[in-house]
Amino acid sequence: MSQTTADHPVGLAAERGGGEHPAANRWFVLAVIGIAQLMVVLDATVVNIALPSAQRALGFSDGNRQWIVTAYSLAFGSLLLLGGRLADLVGRKIVFLVGVLGFAGASALAGAAQGFDLLVTGRALQGLFGAMLAPAALALLNITFTDAKERAKAFGIYGAIAGAGGGIGLLLGGVLTEHLSWRWTLYVNLIFAVIAFIGGLVLLKPGAPADRPKLDLPGTLLVSAGLFGVVYGFSNAETHHWGSPLTWGFLVAGVVLIAAFAAWQRRASHPLLPLRVLLDRNRGASFITVAISGAGMFGVFLFLTYYLQTTLRYTPVTTGLAFLPMIGSLMVTAQLATNVLVPRVGPRPIVPLGMGMAAVGMAWLTNLGLHSTYAADVLPPLIVMGLGLGLVMPPAMSLATDRIGAQDAGVASATVNTMQQVGGSVGTALLNTLAASAATHYMSGKRPTPALAAQAQLHSYSTAYWWSAGFFVAGLVITALMYRGGKPSQDPAAAPVVHM
């Protein structure tokens, strides 16, 4: 049969009786989806500030500490594409609701953990159910907002949540850890989950297409194992050297499996990730944009958090508050980019501009010293970073699922989340390794003193900022070359025809 990549999503949903949401309800749907997405995104960072407290309470070693973060990212990153396809197969509403319930249960399990093993198990289960929830949420957003102006506003808000969620997680983690307990960085998800589940049960309509695709089991196994290998390999780079088989061995295996997955997708009769999803030029550019932004953002979230707490002696709450201006500026340009700039001039000038601003902000942070002040030295680059990321993340997330066929909405949404997660994992491992090497090299051959250690730490942060700036410069070049010039097409018929 002949099929376009732009089958009208609402039309296909209507075949199953879903229909289109009334105008007022659509914005309530956005609120429900936004709360669920915030829960998933902030959970990647909300636990970070609580780790020292959790370590003291449960008595696990420094070597095991990374697994509290890695267990979540491994399950989440490796199972996202499967979760997205399940949303296409079973229906977005049911997968969304199961994901919310499962995430809440896993959060309660981890929060109540009396030992390291149970805490890691709970975090891994959070990642598993998050891999169901995140792509279903984005797919539901994609089929709910089809009017161009409404879609721009909705994705501006959604993209702002995705971009600012890490910073919100740091703030929330600091408040909860300082005033309640580290366990509340996990229990807080129950509040989000109750709101999202009740809202989803009442407001969401079934979103699976009438002609459901079949599950590509070989492709699922290949890509899940491949993504696991890549994320696990880069995670091991934080505690093992790059020459360790636990690092390069898993990285090589992961790359080989992903290459095998790509080859299989050309032959599979019902591919897990149809090539039509990837081959659209703007969509491919958006996937790369999300990955690069995920890698680069950790330069500001991770190392600036270290700087504020260890060098400037900020409390966890004050550290979280320090990121608020960045989040505010990100939200402002997110709405400006998706509602005004991209619809008028297209993504090619806007996204590269945002990448350039983010690079400037990261380079600016390299000037921080032992006696820098927040107002003069930290705040200005943070605002520039926020303004830049607001021009990058929301347009990329919108264009990554724009004009996608309803039968592929789930897997396209999962690909967006996968790129962000894998980019963040790669960025964390690379920047941590480079920063540690820079500190060691700085102190090599010198007599150790507290002052020298403090300078070495600053040097390691600066190295991470420069590399993050480099990520964004690479993003500037790639997006300037890949995005199409001119306004994005709003005509579904303009999408290329693919024979299936």
Side-chain angles (χ1 to χ4, degrees), residues 12 40 143 145 159 195 222 228 253 281 296 318 329 336 375 383 419:
L12 281 178
V40 172
I143 64 174
F145 290 90
I195 299 170
L222 284 170
F228 179 92
R281 188 168 159 182
T318 309
S329 56
L336 181 66
I383 291 176
M419 297 302 280

Side-chain angles (χ1 to χ4, degrees), residues 300-361:
V300 65
F301 286 147
L302 187 62
F303 292 97
L304 190 57
T305 298
Y306 291 161
Y307 171 77
L308 292 174
Q309 290 199 36
T310 61
T311 303
L312 298 189
R313 304 295 180 186
Y314 282 18
T315 65
V317 172
T318 309
T319 300
L321 290 171
F323 285 96
L324 283 182
M326 174 184 167
I327 295 169
S329 56
L330 187 155
M331 289 181 171
V332 169
T333 49
Q335 293 302 312
L336 181 66
T338 52
N339 292 310
V340 180
L341 299 176
V342 173
R344 290 186 180 178
V345 300
R348 179 180 279 180
I350 303 305
V351 177
L353 173 63
M355 289 284 191
M357 292 176 69
V360 169

Side-chain angles (χ1 to χ4, degrees), residues 18 23 33 48 70 90 94 126 137 201-202 210 297 329 331 364 460 487:
I33 292 171
N48 288 8
T70 303
V90 180
I94 186 65
Q126 278 186 314
L201 199 63
V202 173
M297 279 195 300
S329 56
M331 289 181 171
W364 198 340
S460 72
K487 302 177 185 178

Side-chain angles (χ1 to χ4, degrees), residues 46 49-50 167-181 185 305 308-309 313-325 327 374:
V46 70
I49 287 181
I168 295 172
L170 293 173
L171 172 59
L172 189 60
V175 171
L176 293 172
T177 301
E178 193 167 316
H179 294 292
L180 292 172
S181 160
T185 62
T305 298
L308 292 174
Q309 290 199 36
R313 304 295 180 186
Y314 282 18
T315 65
V317 172
T318 309
T319 300
L321 290 171
F323 285 96
L324 283 182
I327 295 169
Y374 177 77

Side-chain angles (χ1 to χ4, degrees), residues 421-483:
Q421 184 65 30
V422 172
S425 299
V426 170
T428 302
L430 281 175
L431 295 174
N432 264 327
T433 305
L434 291 164
S437 298
T440 302
H441 181 74
Y442 187 89
M443 296 187 70
S444 178
K446 299 174 184 175
R447 179 170 166 269
T449 63
L452 180 65
Q455 288 294 341
Q457 200 170 43
L458 277 180
H459 180 65
S460 72
Y461 300 158
S462 179
T463 300
Y465 299 146
W466 277 123
W467 276 90
S468 291
F471 291 159
F472 285 116
V473 169
L476 186 159
V477 175
I478 291 170
T479 54
L481 293 174
M482 285 192 66
Y483 274 117

Side-chain angles (χ1 to χ4, degrees), residues 92-169:
R92 284 106 203 191
K93 178 176 180 176
I94 186 65
V95 171
F96 177 87
L97 294 176
V98 170
V100 170
L101 275 182
F103 201 94
S107 300
L109 177 69
Q114 297 301 312
F116 172 75
D117 292 341
L118 195 58
L119 178 56
V120 170
T121 301
R123 289 287 287 166
L125 288 172
Q126 278 186 314
L128 185 154
F129 287 106
M132 296 175 63
L133 171 58
L138 186 53
L140 283 163
L141 187 67
N142 190 51
I143 64 174
T144 299
F145 290 90
T146 54
D147 175 77
K149 290 184 178 179
E150 286 190 350
R151 178 183 173 86
K153 291 179 182 177
F155 272 89
I157 295 169
Y158 183 88
I161 291 171
I168 295 172

